[in-house]
Amino acid sequence: MDGGTTARPMRADARRNRERLLTEARAAFDQDGVSASLEDVAARAGVGIGTLYRHFPTRDALLEAVLRERFDVLGAEAHALLGHDSPREALVAWLRRFAEAGTSYRGLTAALSATLQDETSALHASCASMRTAAEALLIRAQRSAEVRADLTAVELFTLVFGIAWAHEQARGPDSGGRLDRLLGLLFDGLSAG
């Protein structure tokens, strides 16, 4: 005996409940933003609130589970862009995708921004590989002298969160064009010398 414990596989009904909760959370976040009622999410999934909390003990845990695949894709895109000919263009392309993803649910930019400061958050841990990959893009752009050297990754994320938040607040006609314009202004300001 090795003395270790092994996780028991999830029962089929528990797996179905978890998947229904995730499906209904996505729908609720689409409709009402990340502050959607968790009681409503549970009711829409046909389970009690206790079942929701057994699977997802906090709102951040539920949000992290909903966003995990998106974070994984963003992390993989950042790694793929490390081979791009222009380090600055690679960074700009990834930050644009990140800003777009950050506005997929109302209130998400504020939730993601808060995770930068809260290392205990489920979202903070989930974002770690994505942040690491983005930091590698930033460092590469700085080493090529295409992006100012005094910018930190946290500062860059804070700036992009600010733009994403402004975009989220001003949705309407040409909001996609507005996001591109604001990001363009930011990227111009990031240029080295």
Side-chain angles (χ1 to χ4, degrees), residues 13 15 62:
D13 61 331
R15 219 175 14 258
L62 177 60

Side-chain angles (χ1 to χ4, degrees), residues 11 27 51 54 57 69 78 90 114 132 143 146 154 166 173 182 192:
R11 294 184 341 233
T51 298
R54 268 193 301 284
E69 183 177 322
T132 300
R143 286 184 179 155
E146 293 182 84
V154 171
L182 292 173

Side-chain angles (χ1 to χ4, degrees), residues 22-40:
L22 288 172
T23 298
E24 294 306 330
R26 286 183 193 99
F29 294 160
D30 276 338
Q31 180 179 329
D32 300 322
V34 298
S35 62
S37 163
L38 297 185
E39 289 81 4
D40 288 348

Side-chain angles (χ1 to χ4, degrees), residues 5-25:
T5 60
T6 57
R8 292 188 343 212
M10 194 180 293
R11 294 184 341 233
D13 61 331
R15 219 175 14 258
R16 281 190 303 273
N17 286 343
R18 186 178 196 285
E19 289 308 311
R20 277 198 317 267
L21 285 164
L22 288 172
T23 298
E24 294 306 330

Side-chain angles (χ1 to χ4, degrees), residues 71 123-134:
F71 289 163
L123 282 173
H124 184 88
S126 180
C127 292
S129 66
M130 180 182 59
R131 282 191 309 270
T132 300

